[in-house]
Amino acid sequence: MEGYIFRNEENGYSVLDTSENGSPLTVVGIFETDVTGEVLRVTGETVLHPSYGPQLKSASYEIVRPTDAEGIRRYLASGAIKGIGEKMAARIVAAFGDDSLRIMEEEPERLAEIKGISLRKAQELGVIVEEKKDVRAGLMYLQQFGISNKLAIKIFERYQNAVYQLVREDPYRLIEDIEGIGFVTADRIAEAMGIGKDSVERIRAGIYYVLQTNLAEGNTCLPADVMVTRAAATLEVEEEAVKSVLSDLLIKGDMIRRGEMVFHRQAYFAEIKTAKLLLDHNWHLPQNEDRTLEEIKRIEERGGYELDPLQREAVLKSVSNGLLLLTGGPGTGKTTTINTMIELFLSRGLSLALAAPTGRAAKRMSEATGYQAKTLHRLLEVKAVDGGRSIFERNEDNPLDADVVIVDEMSMVDIFLFQALMKALDGRTHLILVGDPDQLPSVGPGRVLSDIQQSDRFESICLEKIFRQEEGSDIVLSAHQIQKGRMIRLDNKSEDFFFLERDDVGLITRNILTLVLKQLPGHFRISPDQVQVLTPVKKGALGVESLNELLQNYINPASPDKREYQMGDKILREGDKVMQTRNDYEMVWEIRGFSGIVIDRGEGVFNGDLGIITSIDTISRRILVKTDDDKEVAYTYEQAEDLELAYAMTIHKSQGSEYPAVVIPLLGVPRQMEYRNLLYTAVSRARKCVTIIGSRQVVEDMIAGENRQLRYTGLRDQLTELGEIFDKKAD
């Protein structure tokens, strides 16, 4: 390899200047280690770049040890060995020929025979060569098990030359020690090492794998018999062998069993601690109800509206209880109720904190109430610590300074984030949880809102009257019909809800372009980037990846006036609509006033945050994004890996958001995704218009589908059991 044309140090993406049989060749791909001067064997395909011509796109590579004198000379002259340049490389090869590398590895003191190399220098070079040899040998050893170069480097850096013994004796330890190594990879190594399928180490790792996968799917626990069956099937062993190892894990406390359920240890303690905190917060404050009703009436008169009986009852209970749940579907008046609560609390001189799980949801809450709302992470003052972890500076030792905390979009809050909130509450703080339990559950584990509601331990008001239906909104009416499992009208006689029956993918994509670029913007006087395409899936012709590439080309096409950044197949362009794909607690953001002066600054961008690329600086290699809650975030090219286009997004990612118009392609939806609350969530994201395009049968199946995202969780049972103990103590 001659040298680098470009290299991303963060992820190893590189453009290499190489040659093949004496002819120049450009190679692109991920090369985690510095391959300067190395002889490479690259497997891939030749592609034609529109600007740079033919390139070899690497799928895999291996470093080949040079064997002849000329190959060794080029390798040494490349700078691969620190301290050796072209002249010294030539002298070494002239002295030792094809045997040069062996001499440097096994008899480095002989380098002192060469003019200009002292004995000390020879020994130093020997150490460097030996280290390179160890790394190369370690990587080649690990690569034989199908481990990527990037992971192989992490493993070798962690264990050095002890890696061989560890891989032979306990490859499953890699799962705990190396981020990115999962059970499947460790199991492949174990099989190559001859470790038996029924070994205790393998079964233990397999049980953890099943439980960890279960946690990633949103569950905090799993029925013991289901766990045993899944683990036995995954491991291809007898169930009795799994039961024996599981029993040992339970005895040691590595896993928790309650009744028939086996819990992930971390999730179990999060749920039980949260249950106790909730019950401690379930206090009642006597009120003069007539006086409070008079206050509410004055607020209604000032605002020019009238609450219905359930809304009024919710406001009454908000001031008399430590915890209140306010639930209801779209258009049922939750916002009006919240605004009345806010005015009542403020009139009594109480301080408020408004929050939501995401930046988008917090911005919507701010716009709806007229008061600042923060993300829960920001409210709790998240702080990055070593190893990419985070802590909340607001906790039991430093509680929130607020008399009232109102949290919207509670269906999106997982058990770990909610536990952090509960720990940060002063015992006298009113907590009002607002949400729609029929929306999709949180991305993280748990079903907090539903479990609290179903425990029947707390004051709860479910708003039912549909106010926006009276305004002629078929979006709201259709959403409620879907939620009840009733078929919706698809006759296109509505002014804001449309269905285009199509069974051809090509025709659907062409129709999506027409809707997004012309029809919807023209009819509703919005820009194309205000039309949000929501799809159930990521892959395939109607998945997020394909649709984003298509929509980018038409909504924000390439132009000499727009700078771009390309990494592999991904192109980010000035003006693009983008989304953050993981939590990064260290990213700095700023909010600027009209004069450009920074008026607020903080840290942390989160999975699901949306924004627009305002500029790309090719000199400083930075991408500036303005998020939809007005934060400016400067991404380095390396950090931009966490950005993806957002003209289309999965329905899951749309939670907590509202868009002027949404387009929902539904064709060939996987059977396991045909559940009611997925469609309900998609439809309820729209403010002005919904257009479903695809198969009528898929729509019918999703509405009829009872396989909504059910989860195994323990919070409701913990609330019931601990609540009975609390009741006995009270008696």
Side-chain angles (χ1 to χ4, degrees), residues 238-253:
E238 295 295 326
E239 290 190 3
E240 288 304 316
V242 175
K243 289 179 181 178
S244 175
V245 176
L246 177 59
S247 178
D248 288 341
L249 291 171
L250 293 171
I251 291 171
K252 293 176 182 177

Side-chain angles (χ1 to χ4, degrees), residues 706-725:
E706 290 292 342
N707 59 328
R708 52 184 290 155
Q709 278 200 313
L710 299 176
R711 291 185 170 186
Y712 292 110
T713 62
L715 180 59
R716 182 182 63 178
D717 292 339
Q718 295 284 14
L719 287 168
T720 300
E721 294 174 18
L722 287 176
E724 292 173 357
I725 295 173

Side-chain angles (χ1 to χ4, degrees), residues 77 291 299 383 403 417 545 637 645 661:
R291 177 188 164 194
I299 294 170
K383 179 182 179 182
D403 299 312
L417 182 56
E545 295 175 0
Y637 278 3
L645 296 175

Side-chain angles (χ1 to χ4, degrees), residues 33-40 61-67 71-72 75-76 78-81 101-102 104-105 128-144 149 152-153 156-157 160-161 163-164:
T33 56
D34 184 353
V35 293
T36 301
E38 303 282 14
V39 178
L40 305 176
Y61 74 94
E62 61 178 305
I63 298 172
V64 181
R65 179 186 175 96
T67 55
I72 294 171
Y75 169 67
L76 296 176
S78 69
I81 306 297
L101 280 183
R102 188 197 66 78
M104 296 177 75
E105 292 170 355
I128 295 172
V129 171
E130 187 64 29
E131 288 175 350
K132 294 276 286 188
K133 174 187 174 184
D134 289 344
V135 172
R136 184 186 294 113
L139 298 188
M140 293 178 67
Y141 175 73
L142 292 167
Q143 287 165 1
Q144 68 178 308
N149 293 312
I153 290 166
F156 192 82
E157 287 177 347
Q160 297 296 313
N161 286 325
V163 69
Y164 305 102

Side-chain angles (χ1 to χ4, degrees), residues 612-625:
I612 300 293
I613 295 177
T614 56
S615 67
I616 297 176
D617 190 328
T618 57
I619 304 300
S620 66
R621 299 167 58 81
R622 290 185 178 272
I623 298 174
L624 189 65
V625 175

